[in-house]
């Protein structure tokens, strides 16, 4: 069948119409909050433990404790049932403590692994969402010290979370757990981890309880050792009568950048030393279970990944427990670290049928609609862990370290507000999503004069980054006649395209609804993006105004693309995405590489929506050609239709030049000149208006 270019364009427009009208359900219910913890609010609890202590005894329904963004250095004990901790996001609300097993307690004895936990749960029906639980003991520092260094300590096990005796039906959604050795101790009961991240390197998920990890990212951290393996992901001690131990379903085993290939073990059998009537020795009934089902495995996973572990025999001798005597299995493993060989036993298809939610979680699953809802929600979440590679974070400090040698004169921009004469409204919640509440920061002058608003989206390959990257620019814009807004949006590890576009539209609508409160001119809205979000706002601005699409998204009045690709589907752009062995971050966002989803790649290109409807557009580029793809074609169309546009190149700069001075101020002055012409220069406005009215 012959397909003409015109037919293809019509198909893409139809596809985008369907996508843009798709309504993502809001699965985060607006439950009432029973207690608020916020160190910036004197009317709220100043510590999390105080809020927990205030809860009634013998609760029979959830007691919800909302925890505002911030760092909370606390060691928590959860000994009341139905406690719910709800943070502002796993990058915003952090609970941390730095105890370790070898630390001396008040009695002069070591507190032990159990005593090191940042949070200890010993009651049923505990739940946590949208926060970060960390044991911040500095394992790398102490391990790096010479063995004879007096500062060196022993007993470096440091638990972030312990599910202790009495814990059962523990539920975690969108929670990050960080540590190094013994991060997550699932000692007892049943626990479900959905859309979570667990970081560590030595036995960092261990214990005898039943713990199910669904759509979660298990991250191996780098370690200073020449020994292999560098560590073990699991160390189960499941009782032989318990059919389910540590089970990972549709999850990912990823790594930090410095973790080498073929260096990490999947697990080893832990037979904890236990006191019995006839002595103290390794528990012979701890026939641990670790099972990986349909889980992606990075290349750091060893070809022979199961290892023995030592213990104390009944007669006091040291013995070695072998992995073959435990319940270690895989089924459907995939990715570069997946392999079927004699050292990796496969779960039979018949046995796989027993790993149902009802069997694993029992009556808790059968009678709990919330558990079912979260599992169903996670089924729809984007999850492409196979692409988690060296680009594992996108922070200003990291970018500075990358470029400071080549450009020794640069200084990183600030991520804080320094001008006290301005009004800064931080972490305003504009939307709830399936995964987390989405926030924005707004900076303006303290008068009530309505001004144009510039909404800024951070870069980071559609997958990383933080709204604070543009906070200094928001302040600068507020000082020069605008309202500066920098916003969160759904990243590709939490939701596929077009979720981020919907977030932008919802942010625009929220700002319009509150325009009087924040002195915003609702008829003068510009969107600004950098790198991946530069592509996104360019695409969004052209798409929403297209007369043949009838988009449900809120339109904008100006587009500012800072070094973002304009044409995703062109061969010049795809050469970087189709490279063998290279992560396709666009593919993560779009749901597949170009060869898998060509229609989506075309549909997500701003060049598919050329015409007289496009708002005034500004390009500010580095001198790296890769990030100019599609720009010239788009600009030629703008010029043809008489639409105001500007193109500026800041020479001899890295791609992320907007994060550094002196380039940031040069870029900001370009922004101001463009915005002044679009929003304050009547001649420019009339020219653009007339061009759109011309047939």
């Amino acid at each position: 069948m012959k397909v003409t270019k015109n037919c293809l364009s019509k198909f893409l427009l139809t596809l985008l119409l369907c996508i843009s009208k798709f309504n993502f359900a809001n699965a985060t219910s607006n439950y009432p909050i029973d207690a608020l913890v916020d160190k910036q609010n004197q009317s709220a609890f100043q510590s999390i433990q105080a809020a927990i202590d205030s809860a009634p005894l013998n609760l029979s329904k959830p007691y919800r404790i909302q925890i505002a963004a911030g760092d909370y250095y606390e060691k928590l004990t959860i000994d009341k049932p139905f406690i719910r901790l709800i943070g502002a996001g796993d990058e915003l609300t952090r609970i941390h403590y730095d105890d370790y097993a070898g630390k001396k307690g008040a009695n002069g004895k070591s507190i032990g692994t159990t005593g090191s936990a940042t949070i200890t749960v010993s009651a049923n029906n505990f739940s946590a969402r949208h926060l970060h639980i960390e044991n911040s003991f500095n394992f790398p520092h102490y391990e790096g010290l010479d063995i004879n260094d007096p500062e060196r300590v022993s007993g470096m096990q440091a638990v972030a979370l312990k599910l202790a005796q009495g814990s059962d039906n523990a539920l975690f959604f969108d929670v990050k757990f960080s540590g190094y050795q013994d991060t997550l101790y699932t000692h007892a009961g049943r626990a479900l981890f959905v859309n979570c991240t667990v970081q560590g390197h030595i036995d960092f998920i261990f214990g005898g309880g039943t713990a199910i990890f669904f759509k979660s990212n298990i991250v191996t951290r780098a370690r200073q050792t020449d020994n292999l393996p560098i560590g073990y992901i699991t160390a189960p001690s499941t009782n032989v009568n318990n059919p389910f131990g540590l089970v990972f379903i549709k999850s990912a085993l990823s790594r930090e950048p410095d973790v080498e290939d073929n260096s990490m073990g999947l697990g080893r059998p832990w037979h904890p030393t236990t006191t019995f009537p006839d002595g103290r020795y390794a528990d012979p009934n701890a026939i641990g279970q670790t099972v990986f089902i349909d889980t992606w495995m990075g290349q750091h996973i060893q070809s022979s990944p199961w290892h023995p572990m030592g213990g104390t025999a009944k007669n006091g001798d040291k013995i070695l427990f072998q992995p073959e005597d435990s319940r270690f299995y895989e089924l459907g493993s995939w990715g570069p670290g997946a392999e079927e060989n004699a050292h990796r036993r496969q779960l039979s298809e018949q046995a796989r049928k027993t790993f149902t939610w009802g069997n694993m979680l029992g009556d808790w699953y059968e009678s709990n609609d919330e558990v079912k809802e979260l599992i169903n929600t996670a089924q729809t979440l984007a999850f492409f862990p196979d692409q988690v590679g060296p680009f594992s974070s996108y922070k200003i400090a990291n970018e500075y370290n990358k470029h400071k040698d080549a450009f020794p004169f640069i200084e990183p921009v600030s991520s804080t507000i320094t001008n006290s004469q301005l009004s800064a409204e931080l972490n305003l919640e504009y939307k709830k999503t399936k995964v987390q509440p989405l926030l924005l920061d707004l900076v303006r002058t303290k008068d009530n004069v309505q001004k144009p608003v510039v909404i800024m989206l951070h870069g980071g390959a559609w997958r990383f980054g933080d709204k604070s990257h543009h906070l200094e620019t928001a302040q600068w814009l507020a000082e020069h006649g605008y309202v500066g807004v920098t916003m969160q949006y759904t990243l590709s590890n939490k939701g596929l395209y077009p979720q981020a576009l919907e977030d932008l539209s919802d942010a625009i609508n929220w700002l319009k609804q509150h325009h009087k409160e924040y002195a915003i001119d609702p008829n003068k809205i510009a969107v600004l993006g950098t790198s991946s979000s530069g592509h996104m706002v360019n695409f969004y601005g052209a798409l929403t105004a297209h007369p043949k699409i009838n988009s449900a998204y809120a339109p904008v009045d100006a587009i500012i693309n800072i070094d973002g690709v304009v044409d995703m589907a062109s061969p010049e752009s795809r050469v970087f995405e189709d490279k063998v062995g290279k992560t396709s971050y666009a593919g993560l966002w779009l749901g597949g590489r170009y060869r898998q989803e060509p229609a989506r790649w075309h549909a997500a290109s701003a060049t598919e929506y050329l015409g007289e409807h496009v708002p005034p557009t500004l390009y500010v580029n580095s001198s790296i050609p890769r990030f100019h793809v599609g720009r010239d074609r788009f600009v030629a169309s703008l010029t043809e239709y008489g639409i105001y546009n500007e193109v500026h190149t800041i020479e001899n700069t890295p791609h992320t030049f907007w994060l550094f001075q002196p380039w940031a101020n040069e870029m900001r002055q370009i922004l101001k000149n463009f915005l002044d012409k679009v929003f304050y220069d009547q001649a420019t406005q009339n020219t653009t208006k007339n061009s759109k009215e011309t047939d």
Side-chain angles (χ1 to χ4, degrees):
M1 181 178 70
K2 183 178 181 180
V3 180
T4 66
K5 183 177 180 182
N6 187 49
C7 288
L8 178 61
S9 296
K10 288 182 178 179
F11 168 75
L12 294 173
L13 293 177
T14 302
L15 175 67
L16 257 293
L17 175 61
C18 294
I19 293 173
S20 66
K21 289 185 175 180
F22 184 79
N23 181 27
F24 287 83
N26 183 354
T28 304
S29 303
N30 293 314
Y31 293 116
I33 298 301
D34 298 294
L36 173 65
V37 181
D38 186 351
K39 291 187 287 189
Q40 306 302 316
N41 181 352
Q42 293 303 312
S43 299
F45 286 102
Q46 298 301 291
S47 76
I48 303 168
Q49 189 65 60
I52 295 168
D53 293 343
S54 74
L57 298 173
N58 301 317
L59 286 162
S60 59
K61 63 179 182 179
Y63 186 85
R64 298 179 178 89
I65 300 173
Q66 182 79 51
I67 309 172
D71 273 357
Y72 297 85
Y73 182 68
E74 295 192 52
K75 190 177 177 78
L76 303 180
T77 299
I78 314 293
D79 55 5
K80 297 176 180 179
F82 288 99
I83 295 295
R84 303 274 176 102
L85 302 183
I86 306 167
D90 63 9
E91 297 295 332
L92 295 173
T93 301
R94 181 174 73 127
I95 306 169
H96 66 109
Y97 209 76
D98 53 2
D99 272 353
Y100 61 98
K103 182 178 178 180
K104 302 299 182 184
N107 60 3
K109 298 181 179 180
S110 298
I111 63 174
T113 301
T114 294
S116 70
T118 299
I119 297 181
T120 299
V121 180
S122 58
N124 61 25
N125 289 289
F126 173 73
S127 177
R129 296 190 184 202
H130 316 312
L131 47 79
H132 184 180
I133 301 171
E134 179 179 15
N135 190 306
S136 50
F137 170 70
N138 195 343
F139 184 105
H141 168 73
Y142 289 102
E143 186 179 46
L145 297 175
D146 184 84
I147 192 69
N148 296 315
D149 192 313
E151 187 188 350
R152 188 180 172 97
V153 300
S154 61
M156 293 194 287
Q157 299 91 337
V159 176
L161 172 73
K162 180 185 178 183
L163 299 177
Q165 201 66 41
S167 170
D168 194 24
N169 301 352
L171 180 60
F172 302 88
F173 182 71
D174 190 37
V175 178
K176 180 189 293 185
F177 303 89
S178 296
Y180 291 94
Q181 182 174 1
D182 292 3
T183 303
L184 183 54
Y185 188 4
T186 61
H187 175 63
R190 294 165 292 180
L192 176 62
F193 300 82
V194 180
N195 196 49
C196 291
T197 297
V198 188
Q199 300 176 319
H201 54 39
I202 302 175
D203 303 332
F204 65 98
I205 301 175
F206 72 109
T210 296
I212 315 301
F213 298 84
F214 184 53
K215 289 285 188 80
S216 292
N217 192 13
I218 313 303
V219 185
T220 295
R221 307 188 82 168
R223 187 180 173 206
Q224 303 175 64
T225 180
D226 295 326
N227 297 326
L228 290 179
I230 64 169
Y232 315 89
I233 291 173
T234 67
S237 58
T238 325
N239 185 274
V240 66
N241 295 315
N242 188 346
F244 303 104
L246 306 178
V247 183
F248 302 80
I249 303 174
K250 294 184 179 179
S251 289
L253 309 184
S254 61
R255 57 176 167 174
E256 289 184 343
D258 293 334
V259 176
E260 296 182 355
D261 293 350
N262 198 40
S263 65
M264 189 65 176
L266 289 179
R268 56 180 180 168
W270 180 36
H271 290 254
T273 302
T274 307
T275 300
F276 296 97
D278 57 351
R280 182 169 169 79
Y281 49 89
D283 184 355
N285 292 319
I287 310 300
Q289 184 195 74
T290 295
V291 179
F292 294 98
I293 298 174
D294 298 332
T295 290
W296 181 90
M297 300 186 180
Q299 205 156 349
H300 60 302
I301 300 302
Q302 293 182 310
S303 179
S304 299
W306 304 105
H307 295 266
M309 189 173 188
T312 303
K314 197 172 186 179
N315 63 6
D317 291 344
K318 295 299 181 183
I319 58 174
L320 208 57
F321 293 97
Q322 298 299 324
E324 300 83 44
D325 298 325
S326 292
R327 293 172 285 173
F328 293 161
Y329 294 99
E330 301 174 61
L331 181 66
S333 298
W334 58 291
E339 183 179 332
E340 288 191 29
N341 59 44
H343 302 286
R344 301 175 75 157
R345 288 181 295 178
Q346 299 298 302
L347 191 71
S348 69
E349 288 292 346
Q350 187 63 32
R352 168 66 175 94
K353 294 177 182 178
T354 67
F355 285 78
T356 65
W357 294 113
N359 284 347
M360 291 186 292
L361 301 179
D363 58 341
W364 180 32
Y365 174 79
E366 299 297 345
S367 62
N368 194 308
D369 290 339
E370 182 184 18
V371 171
K372 294 177 182 177
E373 178 189 12
L374 287 183
I375 291 171
N376 291 334
T377 295
Q379 297 280 11
T380 68
L381 292 176
F383 196 72
F384 290 87
D386 56 315
Q387 315 300 341
V388 178
F391 192 8
S392 61
S393 64
Y394 176 59
K395 299 179 180 178
I396 295 175
N398 293 352
E399 289 296 306
Y400 175 68
N401 289 332
K402 185 191 304 183
H403 298 298
K404 65 181 180 180
D405 291 338
F407 304 96
F409 56 87
I410 63 174
E411 294 182 2
V413 299
S414 172
S415 58
T416 59
I417 297 295
T418 58
N419 188 340
S420 61
Q421 301 304 308
L422 298 173
S423 175
E425 309 284 346
L426 305 182
N427 295 318
L428 297 170
E429 183 179 305
Y430 74 87
K431 178 181 182 180
K432 289 185 183 295
T433 71
K434 293 179 179 181
V435 178
Q436 63 183 17
L438 292 178
L439 312 176
L440 59 80
D441 298 335
L442 184 148
V443 189
R444 62 188 178 94
T445 55
K446 293 181 179 179
D447 58 40
N448 290 318
V449 178
Q450 291 188 353
K451 299 179 177 67
V453 62
V454 183
I455 304 169
M456 293 173 282
L457 286 73
H458 62 80
W462 302 275
R463 193 175 185 87
F464 310 101
D466 188 85
K467 62 184 172 64
S468 64
H469 291 187
H470 291 315
L471 199 54
E472 187 179 281
T473 296
Q475 174 178 281
W476 191 94
L477 287 168
E479 293 168 342
H480 291 82
Y482 296 89
V483 177
V485 171
T486 177
M487 60 171 279
Q488 287 181 317
Y489 56 93
T490 301
L491 301 177
S492 68
N493 63 330
K494 302 267 177 90
L496 284 176
Y497 154 91
Q499 181 66 61
L501 302 186
E502 182 180 320
D503 297 340
L504 175 55
S505 178
D506 289 338
I508 293 169
N509 286 330
W510 188 91
L511 289 166
K512 284 184 174 181
Q513 292 167 7
H514 296 83
H515 74 276
K516 292 182 179 179
E517 182 179 353
Y518 298 113
I520 292 170
D521 186 337
N523 299 309
K524 294 180 178 179
I525 296 175
V527 287
L528 178 154
T530 50
S531 190
S532 55
S533 66
H535 148 266
M536 198 157 61
V537 300
N538 203 160
F539 160 42
Y540 179 96
L543 165 71
T544 53
H546 200 289
K548 295 182 180 180
I549 294 213
N550 190 28
S551 170
Y553 298 152
V556 297
D557 305 295
I559 299 168
I560 301 168
N561 182 340
I562 311 294
D563 227 27
V565 170
V566 182
D567 186 353
M568 297 287 289
S570 70
E572 294 83 2
S573 175
R574 295 200 333 263
V575 69
F576 301 100
E577 299 294 337
D578 290 341
K579 189 175 180 181
V580 176
K582 179 179 173 57
T583 297
S584 174
Y585 285 101
L588 297 183
W589 187 57
L590 293 170
R593 289 181 182 265
Y594 179 80
R595 64 180 179 274
Q596 299 167 312
E597 298 284 351
R600 280 194 163 214
W601 284 66
H602 281 280
S605 297
T607 47
E608 295 291 334
Y609 311 101
L610 300 173
E612 59 185 357
H613 59 281
V614 179
T617 303
L618 167 67
Y619 291 97
V620 185
N621 288 109
S622 68
S623 52
I624 304 173
R626 171 185 176 183
F627 301 101
H628 307 173
V629 175
R631 181 196 66 187
D632 294 345
R633 180 183 169 198
F634 200 88
V635 168
S637 175
L638 294 172
T639 303
E640 176 187 352
Y641 288 106
I643 299 168
Y644 186 73
N645 66 86
E646 294 182 18
V647 178
H648 298 265
T649 300
I650 301 180
E651 298 291 348
N652 191 31
T653 57
H655 172 50
T656 53
F657 62 85
W658 56 88
L659 297 178
F660 309 108
Q661 297 293 10
W663 303 314
N665 275 344
E666 182 177 351
M667 176 200 71
R668 292 164 186 164
Q669 192 59 55
I670 293 170
L671 300 185
K672 181 181 184 303
N673 293 342
F674 170 79
L675 292 166
D676 286 351
K677 290 176 182 177
V678 171
F679 290 134
Y680 292 120
D681 187 327
Q682 195 63 42
T684 301
Q685 293 182 48
N686 288 339
T687 299
T688 302
K689 180 180 178 182
N690 291 337
S691 72
K692 292 183 179 181
E693 292 175 348
T694 302
D695 185 2

